[in-house]
Amino acid sequence: MEEQQSPFQAAIKPGLTIGLVSLALTFIAYFIDSSLLGSAWFGLVAIVLFFVLMMYFGKQYRTELGGFMTFGTAFNFSFVAIVISGLVGLIGQILLFQVIDPSLAGVLADQGFETQLSIMESFGQNPDSMDPALLEEMRSSAANSFTLSGQLMAFGFSLIVYAIIALILGAILKKRDKSLDY
């Protein structure tokens, strides 16, 4: 009889696959037009693709387990796969922003700052009436998110978001064997 993989072992390949797909999508967008990386629709496409792939690999693992999976197993599988995917993405983004094109960080930071200002205007706040020191703090905060330390801190905070996403995926992917009910 073939031995089943633990959720941790089973999550390595899907995590690497999702991370590499995400990285490929990022680099394709970068080579087409680097401003795409800061657009909302690009982020939406990436999130939808991420969830589709996680659901696919999660259902595939559940099938390997005989069609049933507990919530804990589904959560562990999802969380490990997401963390591995995130690490692959982090490495790729560090390469992109620190080695391949260090000027890209400034362009995306400016784009993000302009987006923040337009959102504020849509809520009735006039950026011209704001304290210049606050505007400069917003601009530097946007720029700091692309530094090496900013990227590492963002990944650390992302672990909380990853856990929440894994909880949701665990609830979706779990399936109990009702034949065992008395």
Side-chain angles (χ1 to χ4, degrees):
M1 185 172 162
E2 187 178 316
E3 191 174 314
Q4 294 178 343
Q5 291 182 324
S6 74
F8 302 103
Q9 294 168 327
I12 293 171
K13 185 177 176 184
L16 289 172
T17 303
I18 293 169
L20 291 173
V21 167
S22 169
L23 203 55
L25 189 62
T26 299
F27 277 97
I28 289 170
Y30 168 72
F31 289 123
I32 291 173
D33 180 10
S34 62
S35 66
L36 290 174
L37 295 173
S39 70
W41 73 265
F42 176 77
L44 183 64
V45 167
I47 289 171
V48 168
L49 182 63
F50 168 80
F51 273 103
V52 167
L53 288 173
M54 279 302 301
M55 292 296 296
Y56 170 77
F57 287 120
K59 287 182 179 181
Q60 191 176 38
Y61 180 56
R62 185 175 68 195
T63 301
E64 282 179 27
L65 295 177
F68 302 103
M69 186 163 46
T70 65
F71 173 78
T73 302
F75 170 78
N76 288 337
F77 171 82
S78 299
F79 185 69
V80 171
I82 294 169
V83 169
I84 291 171
S85 171
L87 284 171
V88 170
L90 175 66
I91 292 167
Q93 288 182 4
I94 288 172
L95 284 173
L96 180 61
F97 294 125
Q98 308 303 321
V99 177
I100 296 170
D101 190 355
S103 66
L104 178 62
V107 171
L108 292 179
D110 288 342
Q111 185 179 355
F113 177 70
E114 293 299 324
T115 301
Q116 284 179 329
L117 291 180
S118 67
I119 290 171
M120 291 170 64
E121 286 177 351
S122 70
F123 284 110
Q125 174 69 40
N126 184 0
D128 294 333
S129 66
M130 293 180 67
D131 181 20
L134 179 62
L135 289 173
E136 187 55 38
E137 184 179 327
M138 288 172 57
R139 183 181 298 277
S140 69
S141 173
N144 287 340
S145 66
F146 292 101
T147 64
L148 181 60
S149 63
Q151 289 176 302
L152 292 173
M153 280 185 12
F155 180 76
F157 290 123
S158 295
L159 291 174
I160 297 168
V161 175
Y162 293 165
I164 293 168
I165 293 170
L167 286 169
I168 294 167
L169 287 168
I172 293 170
L173 292 171
K174 73 174 171 59
K175 186 175 182 183
R176 65 186 186 109
D177 187 356
K178 293 182 181 176
S179 69
L180 299 176
D181 292 345
Y182 295 109

